[in-house]
Amino acid sequence: VSGGTEVTEPLDTTTLSTQPELPRLPSLTFGGWLRWAWRQLTSMRTALVLLFLLALAAVPGSVFPQRATSTADVTAYLAEHRGIGPLLDRIGMFDVFGSAWFAAIYILLFVSLTGCVVPRSLQHARVLRSRPPAAPRNLDRLPEHRAYVSSAPPPVLLDAAASALRRRRWRVDVSAADGTLSAEKGYLRETGNLLFHLALIVLLAGIAVGALFGTHGTVIVVEGGAFANTVQRYDSYGGGRLAGTDSLPPFSFTLDSFAATYQRGGPQDSAPRSFTARLTVRDEPSAPPHPVTVQVNDPLVVDGTKAFLIGHGYAPHVTVRDGQGRVVLSSAVPFLPRDSKFLSQGVVKVPDARPTQLGFRALFLPTARMDPVLGGQSTFPAADNPELLLTLFTGDLGLDDGTPQSVYLLDSSRMSQVSDQVMRPGDTWTLPGGLGSITFDGVRQFATFSIAHDPGQVPALTAALAALAGLMLSLFVRRRRIWVRAAGEAGGRTLVAVGGLARAEAGGLTAEVDDLLERLRAVAPASDEESA
Amino acid sequence: VNQQSWAQLSNGFVYGAMTALALAMFAYAAELAFGTRSRVGRTVAAQQPGRAQVLVGGGSTDNAGSAGSAGTTDPDDPADIPPTVTFPEASPERQRRADQYGGIGLSLTVAATGLLLLGIVCRGFAAGRAPWGNMYEFSCASAFVVLSVFLVVAWRRPALRYLGLFVVVPALLTLGLAVAVLYVPAGPLVPALRSYWLVIHVAAAIVSGAVFTVGGVVTVLYLVQDHWERRGAVNALSRRLPPSEQLDQSAYRLFAFVFPLWTFAIMAGAIWAENAWGKYWSWDPKETWALVTWLVFACYLHARATAGWKGRRAAYIALAGLSCFVFNYFGVNIWFSGLHSYGGLPHS
């Protein structure tokens, strides 16, 4: 327990509470109850409990799959745990960071914090304008204390002490009548402490602005393909509630080429080494096009909106002719990569084919090898020896009833499997029964871009930097006080006493007191060797 | 010299460091086994109690450890007069040997730290990048920083040299785990990790981890010493350790130093994430546990300023924070998959 000195004003500057520690009996009025509740909420102990609760509440978010990051994992978890799954879902375990109870904890914490910091800021503002506290009666009871006898008169000594301390940027108050001097330094500790906590509030505001006004989405663009920044063009879009969907910056780009290189041979065989997307960008429809290279960690930036390269894959280009010889499909179809060697899965749907709709379940193997047990495998992620494995279905694709379907899944419930085929680039497969033909023209790559705009980012970053600065001030600056008393004695001599007080965590006060004494002795030497 | 040779050289240095650490461990253990109090311990004990008595009223104990400031104080100051300190009897011969073993342990620790540094530098040449791109490298670097922090602490505060055994053991365990389980051949990084933010973010995390660890060791010793002091128990270790109050102070200083650094590590990670994925915070398990660690240490700092929570309770909170950090490092990499799947370990 600290304290126990004569100094009545506490120097406990780490405490973030203006509240007294002693419990007070609440009065019975409603206002009294409110005041009592407020005092409880803004007490340090409550803040402590809330901090701990917040830490505890975040843990399930790392244990259970979260909807915000991967809906598929949540669905898989629910399918696997039919008993406990729905219960967990009901209490928000799959959306921890958006759940009411998580929000309740951090909102309470920030209310508690605000209730603490605001009065304390006012108090600190008063302290900053006031004088250092008067000297305690017995300086020799302070942790740091020195004394000696000088022949110089008290005013000279006090002046010398004042100028020495002021030069070291202490706040000094000389009381000539008492023959004492009070000095204090390290106000930045509390300033930093308050800055840190206020900055946290701004940080939370920045996060809120980002969540409400920010936009983010992903889009897959095949080599040669184009993208224009409108909501309709995104493959998935998530925007804040207050974000205007029609006011996205009107930039557009084409993906001229995408290149991926991989480690060949050695222990890290197949590990990716570089991804490079070359774009031609127009900042707005009327602007001139200009080339931009986008890499991982190096996004495209247009007017505060950024496009990040977050994924890639293969898009085999196929041309389908139906039974009547018409070209009913000719495009590059993006496939989903399934493993690190880029064995990729995809579906080719041909709803316009006649006499019957056609569907192909397909595997793309960039470097194909037939395994007698596992079937078609890929042994390297680059397209060294590409093969396309197709399984043909005929019947009703189920696209006409308006139910949205995944482009990567084939609903074969109203279709029948007909035949399968292995194809290389340039091959044409004449489908059985006069259904038409499919040509594997070649393979292109696609790049996945995440496009995001977060107007809260700059405030959040500024606040975070301010918080860090405040934190360092509050932990590293030492608040300390020095008092000097110069008392005239018989024979024209002066007894000089110096005392220093600092928080337990603060070091270096000894050296500062010693330094002050040295300077005093330089101006007013000790009268003889018998120092007190 | 080609990459392969650099990698082999690096492995050689790491094994050398482990050998030196194992020997240092035995030397520190021998020091504890022999004699009652080494020269360092006696010197410090002679300086401390007088000051500690004066400072009970809320002052500072930190001057006791720094021999420099003690030398400059007024010799007539009553606080600086060494009080009578009674030592349990110990034969000078045993005492001399204990000091000798302690010195050997410290020298071996310095050697191990140097070898480890060489190993890390060679690993960097082998991989052609900053040598902290996977869990093996991260562990080696952490062990190096732990040892360095200990050496700095032992240099600034000779009384804490007795941490030696308790620092060398976790460092050796970390290295053993790195070599036996986490080892991956040196190589370049996947594109996602190729950013100067890797150097900044991961370096901050490594140093934070090391200081958390040393702080945790000091905290455990504080709890043990405090326990013995309350019961009035005296034994070989309790006589050597600094008083509990001073251990508590040292632990606080380490945690207070590292908390802003850990804050910075999280912020740097967020900035990097924004630069790579467009979202500065994704609630990835690593991020979540980094925040949990941060919150628990925030609890610790608040607890130290709250009546009724100082001392032992605050120490338990600090240990909980350290556990969160360790779990974030090992547990999250092994059991959870997420954006930080850099360990090079197969996920279960």
Side-chain angles (χ1 to χ4, degrees):
Chain A
V1 179
S2 67
T5 59
E6 285 191 349
V7 185
T8 45
E9 190 188 332
L11 207 59
D12 193 2
T13 49
T14 320
T15 317
L16 197 82
S17 170
T18 51
Q19 308 311 319
E21 292 287 355
L22 289 173
R24 284 184 187 170
L25 285 177
S27 60
L28 290 173
T29 64
F30 180 66
W33 275 105
L34 272 183
R35 267 198 299 281
W36 177 81
W38 179 249
R39 210 174 293 140
Q40 288 302 310
L41 182 63
T42 57
S43 81
M44 181 78 121
R45 212 162 301 230
T46 308
L48 204 62
V49 170
L50 287 172
L51 273 172
F52 188 70
L53 271 181
L54 192 63
L56 209 62
V59 171
S62 74
V63 176
F64 299 108
Q66 297 296 299
R67 284 218 170 77
T69 42
S70 100
T71 323
D73 287 352
V74 177
T75 314
Y77 188 94
L78 283 172
E80 233 173 277
H81 303 82
R82 291 194 182 282
I84 191 121
L87 191 74
L88 290 173
D89 198 9
R90 205 168 313 141
I91 57 173
M93 283 297 161
F94 303 118
D95 189 20
V96 167
F97 306 110
S99 68
W101 45 271
F102 192 78
I105 297 172
Y106 71 74
I107 289 171
L108 272 179
L109 184 65
F110 273 87
V111 170
S112 159
L113 191 150
T114 313
C116 239
V117 167
V118 170
R120 246 179 100 143
S121 300
L122 300 175
Q123 187 190 338
H124 186 55
R126 277 196 301 276
V127 168
L128 283 178
R129 285 192 309 258
S130 65
R131 298 169 168 184
R137 213 170 330 124
N138 296 320
L139 290 183
D140 57 349
R141 291 217 189 140
L142 292 174
E144 293 294 339
H145 56 95
R146 317 272 188 281
Y148 76 101
V149 177
S150 169
S151 49
V156 173
L157 272 156
L158 290 179
D159 277 356
S163 68
L165 287 167
R166 284 202 180 103
R167 211 172 305 137
R168 297 244 183 272
R169 294 207 245 152
W170 285 69
R171 176 173 300 184
V172 178
D173 182 48
V174 180
S175 167
D178 309 346
T180 61
L181 171 152
S182 314
E184 186 162 8
K185 195 176 174 178
Y187 296 91
L188 271 178
R189 184 187 183 91
E190 176 71 350
T191 310
N193 186 21
L194 294 169
L195 174 67
F196 169 72
H197 288 89
L198 289 169
L200 285 187
I201 299 173
V202 179
L203 177 65
L204 189 71
I207 293 170
V209 166
L212 289 173
F213 296 94
T215 59
H216 57 92
T218 56
V219 62
I220 285 176
V221 184
V222 181
E223 283 176 296
F227 167 79
N229 191 29
T230 57
V231 173
Q232 294 76 29
R233 186 60 184 78
Y234 284 98
D235 293 312
S236 73
Y237 173 83
R241 269 176 217 155
L242 304 178
T245 51
D246 44 1
S247 59
L248 298 180
F251 71 87
S252 62
F253 64 77
T254 55
L255 177 62
D256 300 327
S257 72
F258 177 83
T261 58
Y262 305 91
Q263 175 84 36
R264 286 185 187 272
Q268 292 194 20
D269 184 57
S270 301
R273 288 291 165 248
S274 75
F275 302 122
T276 310
R278 291 185 197 286
L279 315 179
T280 301
V281 181
R282 279 176 198 272
D283 289 354
E284 47 188 273
S286 59
H290 59 100
V292 175
T293 302
V294 174
Q295 292 183 307
V296 182
N297 286 318
D298 184 13
L300 162 74
V301 186
V302 181
D303 193 18
T305 299
K306 297 184 182 179
F308 302 86
L309 178 60
I310 59 161
H312 68 112
Y314 289 102
H317 193 287
V318 292
T319 301
V320 180
R321 289 183 166 79
D322 68 1
Q324 301 166 359
R326 290 184 304 148
V327 174
V328 279
L329 180 91
S330 182
S331 74
V333 185
F335 279 29
L336 281 184
R338 281 293 170 218
D339 64 19
S340 61
K341 316 285 186 188
F342 273 77
L343 178 142
S344 307
Q345 216 171 27
V347 162
V348 180
K349 297 180 189 180
V350 198
D352 299 334
R354 297 290 175 270
T356 170
Q357 293 189 332
L358 304 175
F360 299 88
R361 267 194 197 140
L363 277 185
F364 175 74
L365 315 171
T367 301
R369 187 176 67 89
M370 272 303 155
D371 187 287
V373 181
L374 301 168
Q377 296 292 308
S378 178
T379 57
F380 196 75
D384 291 348
N385 177 30
E387 277 186 10
L388 190 61
L389 278 56
L390 292 174
T391 305
L392 169 65
F393 289 81
T394 56
D396 181 5
L397 284 166
L399 291 171
D400 301 330
D401 61 1
T403 320
Q405 265 192 16
S406 164
V407 293
Y408 301 107
L409 292 176
L410 186 73
D411 176 10
S412 60
S413 56
R414 278 172 287 178
M415 303 192 85
S416 51
Q417 187 174 337
V418 178
S419 176
D420 43 40
Q421 180 75 19
V422 177
M423 301 181 76
R424 295 172 173 282
D427 286 358
T428 296
W429 176 25
T430 307
L431 305 176
L435 293 168
S437 69
I438 180 166
T439 305
F440 179 20
D441 304 311
V443 63
R444 294 186 194 172
Q445 296 191 76
F446 70 81
T448 311
F449 293 94
S450 164
I451 297 171
H453 174 62
D454 183 349
Q457 228 166 54
V458 173
L461 179 64
T462 314
L465 290 174
L468 186 62
L471 186 61
M472 297 212 295
L473 287 177
S474 76
L475 287 172
F476 301 149
V477 170
R478 299 161 295 127
R479 184 138 171 216
R480 61 259 192 224
R481 291 171 184 160
I482 286 182
W483 292 277
V484 179
R485 172 168 287 131
E489 285 192 329
R493 297 192 302 179
T494 308
L495 174 64
V496 189
V498 178
L501 177 69
R503 287 259 311 150
E505 282 82 12
L509 185 63
T510 312
E512 283 175 315
V513 172
D514 288 340
D515 180 63
L516 174 63
L517 233 73
E518 209 170 289
R519 279 161 192 283
L520 282 180
R521 281 179 208 236
V523 176
S527 59
D528 46 38
E529 285 311 305
E530 51 163 300
S531 51
Chain B
V1 191
N2 65 12
Q3 285 197 347
Q4 204 69 30
S5 327
W6 279 119
Q8 277 169 2
L9 203 58
S10 164
N11 293 352
F13 281 129
V14 172
Y15 282 116
M18 287 175 70
T19 313
L21 275 186
L23 293 173
M25 184 175 76
F26 288 118
Y28 286 125
E31 184 190 18
L32 286 183
F34 277 100
T36 49
R37 202 188 269 273
S38 71
R39 191 168 49 243
V40 176
R42 283 193 304 275
T43 320
V44 171
Q47 289 174 1
Q48 275 165 3
R51 195 164 282 280
Q53 283 160 14
V54 174
L55 297 176
V56 169
S60 146
T61 56
D62 43 9
N63 308 309
S66 55
S69 61
T72 59
T73 48
D74 188 338
D76 294 334
D77 190 321
D80 283 318
I81 298 168
T84 320
V85 180
T86 51
F87 295 104
E89 290 301 316
S91 75
E93 175 55 21
R94 280 174 71 89
Q95 198 55 66
R96 198 185 56 74
R97 284 174 72 184
D99 284 350
Q100 222 165 32
Y101 281 121
I104 291 172
L106 206 57
S107 311
L108 282 167
T109 313
V110 172
T113 313
L115 285 170
L116 201 49
L117 178 63
L118 286 173
I120 291 167
V121 170
C122 291
R123 179 81 182 186
F125 282 121
R129 55 175 167 77
W132 42 79
N134 50 50
M135 278 184 86
Y136 168 75
E137 292 166 359
F138 197 102
S139 301
C140 288
S142 299
F144 168 74
V145 182
V146 164
L147 293 172
S148 306
V149 170
F150 162 66
L151 288 177
V152 169
V153 167
W155 172 52
R156 296 279 302 272
R157 287 192 164 198
L160 293 176
R161 195 179 89 190
Y162 300 102
L163 292 181
L165 184 61
F166 310 98
V167 168
V168 162
V169 169
L172 195 57
L173 279 176
T174 307
L175 283 179
L177 208 60
V179 168
V181 183
L182 306 173
Y183 186 80
V184 285
L189 292 172
V190 296
L193 291 180
R194 250 179 266 157
S195 164
Y196 57 90
W197 283 107
L198 173 86
V199 180
I200 300 168
H201 165 63
V202 181
I206 287 172
V207 176
S208 303
V211 182
F212 277 140
T213 308
V214 178
V217 168
V218 179
T219 304
V220 169
L221 292 179
Y222 156 74
L223 286 170
V224 171
Q225 180 75 323
D226 183 57
H227 178 73
W228 283 332
E229 279 175 8
R230 278 156 193 259
R231 296 177 47 179
V234 176
N235 57 48
L237 187 57
S238 75
R239 277 195 296 264
R240 275 192 188 73
L241 289 175
S244 67
E245 194 191 346
Q246 199 189 329
L247 286 167
D248 188 37
Q249 282 295 317
S250 299
Y252 170 76
R253 294 195 143 198
L254 287 165
F255 289 134
F257 163 78
V258 76
F259 188 69
L261 188 64
W262 181 238
T263 312
F264 172 75
I266 295 176
M267 278 171 54
I271 296 171
W272 185 12
E274 197 282 324
N275 211 29
W277 305 309
K279 276 179 93 172
Y280 55 84
W281 197 265
S282 319
W283 294 111
D284 155 72
K286 201 89 179 170
E287 290 173 348
T288 306
W289 277 92
L291 180 71
V292 169
T293 308
W294 190 89
L295 287 168
V296 174
F297 275 105
C299 272
Y300 166 78
L301 291 178
H302 283 89
R304 283 193 63 101
T306 308
W309 282 84
K310 287 171 188 156
R312 298 186 71 87
R313 279 199 191 180
Y316 290 129
I317 297 177
L319 291 183
L322 177 64
S323 316
C324 290
F325 180 86
V326 171
F327 180 76
N328 196 14
Y329 180 41
F330 290 109
V332 170
N333 282 33
I334 292 165
W335 290 309
F336 301 148
S337 71
L339 301 166
H340 282 80
S341 306
Y342 55 73
L345 297 173
H347 283 285
S348 58

